[in-house]
Amino acid sequence: GTVDLLPTISGGDKINAGLDLVDKGLASYSAYPRFGYGKIAFACNFGPTQFPAVRQAVAWLLDRDEFARQYTGGYGIVVDSNYGASQWEYQENKATLDANLTHYTLNVDKAKEVLIADGWTLNENGEDFVEGTDTLRYKMVGDELMPLTIQWASSGNSVAELVSTMLPPEAEKVGMQIVATNMDFNVLISHYYQQVDPKVYHMFNMGTGFADVSAFWYYYDPQFNGLYKTNFIDDEELLKLATELKTTEPEDTAGWSEKWVKFQERWNYLMPDIPLYSDEYHDFYNAKIENYEASPQWRWESALIRASIKGAE
């Protein structure tokens, strides 16, 4: 009936509660940057979110800096593409990424601008959208009017609660509607992998942990739709850049790093996910445990093997 280890704790409130136990001498902890990030993930093969401009607009409607501050409580950073705070590629190229990547944060005018440029200029009658009169934008897609309504599959956790407070009110200002549906996580996953038909949900609040070696060429290859390729995005340039990473010689770290930056630049434009934060994980454990040393790529399952209990033979 007792707990000796709570690994990968994130979020400022939970971390501070754990540190209170440490201050009382009831626990010890290890802290390390996350090899991944929290995110909003998009289905990029149907509905409004099939269009990069819509995904960009959503990113422009969320104050990611404030979101990360509130959620992580200072134990994390905002990242602008498909990387985590602990990756050597990020640490080596931080200045280049800061200079070249778009830092999406709250900018209602920018969101409106990209939507108009992408053709979201009509109302439900197919006439010009009039601000102050019309509430929902439409776009002619093929022979049909498509409403700018994004169906959000939400797991109802603390991240979702913060997103629901910050994002939908801003979306309304530009003629976008975000409809949240709370569901059990296993149901959410079945929709995320598009294992159910018909496809309904365009947006998901998720988190991800990267593989120790990120094989990007699997994640954006159409033959791996619903397996590794969970955004269902088809972009020839992104796949080309990912494939070029695959052909890098193992010892050519400089070549890999250069190609990685180009891949991140394209990904940052397409925004198949909106990275919300790459936070700092804390593992809290019984104070009698010693020699427990976790890290981004040496997680609790491995660290536990080398740990011991004080006074035990």
Side-chain angles (χ1 to χ4, degrees), residues 30-311:
S30 292
Y32 48 93
R34 180 175 179 173
F35 198 56
Y37 57 56
K39 64 181 182 177
I40 289 174
F42 293 114
C44 301
N45 60 334
F46 73 99
T49 54
Q50 69 184 280
F51 301 103
V54 172
R55 304 192 296 265
Q56 292 167 4
V58 177
W60 284 120
L61 292 168
L62 183 62
D63 189 341
R64 295 190 306 133
D65 300 306
E66 178 61 17
F67 184 99
R69 187 193 68 79
Q70 288 194 34
Y71 177 73
T72 70
Y75 301 105
I77 63 169
V78 177
V79 297
D80 291 319
S81 195
N82 185 233
Y83 56 85
S86 67
Q87 288 179 271
W88 69 267
E89 295 98 331
Y90 162 68
Q91 295 168 4
E92 186 173 282
N93 294 289
K94 184 179 184 304
T96 300
L97 296 173
D98 288 346
N100 294 343
L101 299 185
T102 298
H103 180 68
Y104 297 92
T105 192
L106 182 59
N107 189 326
V108 173
D109 290 338
K110 190 67 177 178
K112 192 184 304 181
E113 176 185 318
V114 297
L115 289 172
I116 291 172
D118 195 51
W120 298 91
T121 58
L122 305 175
N123 63 18
E124 60 183 347
N125 299 315
E127 300 168 347
D128 289 343
F129 180 89
V130 178
E131 290 191 44
T133 300
D134 299 315
T135 57
L136 185 63
R137 290 182 182 272
Y138 287 74
K139 174 181 178 175
M140 187 63 71
V141 180
D143 297 327
E144 296 184 2
L145 280 172
M146 178 179 288
L148 189 53
T149 298
I150 297 175
Q151 298 292 340
W152 170 23
S154 169
S155 57
N157 57 20
S158 57
V159 170
E161 291 172 1
L162 191 52
V163 171
S164 67
T165 300
M166 298 178 69
L167 182 58
E170 300 298 335
E172 290 179 8
K173 296 177 182 179
V174 300
M176 177 189 294
Q177 181 185 36
I178 296 178
V179 180
T181 302
N182 289 329
M183 61 189 68
D184 290 338
F185 190 70
N186 61 331
V187 177
L188 184 150
I189 284 292
S190 67
H191 287 284
Y192 177 65
Y193 285 102
Q194 297 189 11
Q195 297 166 338
V196 294
D197 196 50
K199 297 187 285 287
V200 176
Y201 298 101
H202 312 111
M203 184 176 113
F204 308 82
N205 58 284
M206 305 283 290
T208 188
F210 299 132
D212 288 344
V213 178
S214 294
F216 299 102
W217 43 93
Y218 291 136
Y219 306 149
Y220 303 99
D221 188 329
Q223 68 176 308
F224 296 116
N225 274 340
L227 184 59
Y228 300 112
K229 187 182 169 207
T230 53
N231 291 109
F232 296 85
I233 186 170
D234 290 325
D235 184 79
E236 291 184 5
E237 184 177 349
L238 190 67
L239 180 58
K240 174 178 175 290
L241 292 168
T243 304
E244 289 176 356
L245 281 163
K246 182 180 181 181
T247 61
T248 309
E249 292 296 326
E251 68 276 6
D252 184 13
T253 54
W256 171 276
S257 184
E258 182 179 347
K259 295 174 184 177
W260 183 88
V261 169
K262 292 178 179 177
F263 172 86
Q264 298 297 346
E265 290 173 349
R266 181 62 179 172
W267 197 99
N268 171 257
Y269 168 77
L270 293 170
M271 291 303 284
D273 293 341
I274 300 177
L276 297 176
Y277 54 85
S278 185
D279 49 341
E280 189 177 89
Y281 274 155
H282 283 62
D283 292 0
F284 294 101
Y285 48 90
N286 193 310
K288 66 184 178 182
I289 296 174
E290 58 186 0
N291 302 316
Y292 177 93
E293 298 176 1
S295 70
Q297 290 172 279
W298 186 258
R299 291 173 283 272
W300 70 269
E301 310 97 299
S302 303
L304 199 60
I305 295 172
R306 297 182 180 178
S308 57
I309 298 174
K310 293 177 183 178

